[in-house]
Amino acid sequence: TWCGPCIAEMPSIQKLYDKFKDKEDIAFVILEAESNKDKAVKFMTNKKLDLPVYFPTGNIPSEFFRGSLPTTVIFDKNGNVAHITEGMADYSGDDIVDFLNEVRNMK
């Protein structure tokens, strides 16, 4: 709700989510770092985003989050880290779609 790079990348995450939201083998988890539900719901509504937002009840393990906002972590279906991006990224391109499909098809 306040992080400029996070806000800037949200529309591209929404586009990616829209491509995969009906796939049962992919889950999107958007963590709201401040755990302020009212502020987050208002933000998502104002930005016309329908991403699934979750509110952590404890610390996020440092293997996944070292304090950089935004941080994106992609896990494979076995729970292993397939990719981490620290900082803003554009998730609307075919490269991330191809990567997610590759991760989905791994054995």
Side-chain angles (χ1 to χ4, degrees), residues 76-78 80 102-107:
D76 67 16
K77 56 186 157 187
N78 296 314
N80 301 308
E102 183 181 313
V103 170
R104 287 175 63 210
N105 294 321
M106 289 179 164
K107 291 186 178 186

Side-chain angles (χ1 to χ4, degrees), residues 10-55:
M10 292 299 274
S12 72
I13 294 173
Q14 180 69 55
K15 287 179 184 178
L16 183 63
Y17 174 72
D18 289 343
K19 292 177 184 177
F20 286 98
K21 67 183 174 184
D22 295 326
K23 307 291 184 202
E24 292 182 11
D25 58 346
I26 290 192
F28 283 70
V29 178
I30 309 301
L31 296 180
E32 203 286 314
E34 294 180 309
S35 294
N36 185 331
K37 278 188 182 180
D38 293 336
K39 191 175 180 181
V41 168
K42 184 177 179 181
F43 172 83
M44 297 297 279
T45 301
N46 288 343
K47 296 291 186 181
K48 296 180 176 47
L49 302 168
D50 67 347
L51 299 161
V53 178
Y54 297 88
F55 305 89

Side-chain angles (χ1 to χ4, degrees), residues 87-100:
M88 190 177 80
D90 180 359
Y91 296 99
S92 62
D94 289 337
D95 54 338
I96 188 65
V97 171
D98 293 344
F99 180 73
L100 288 179

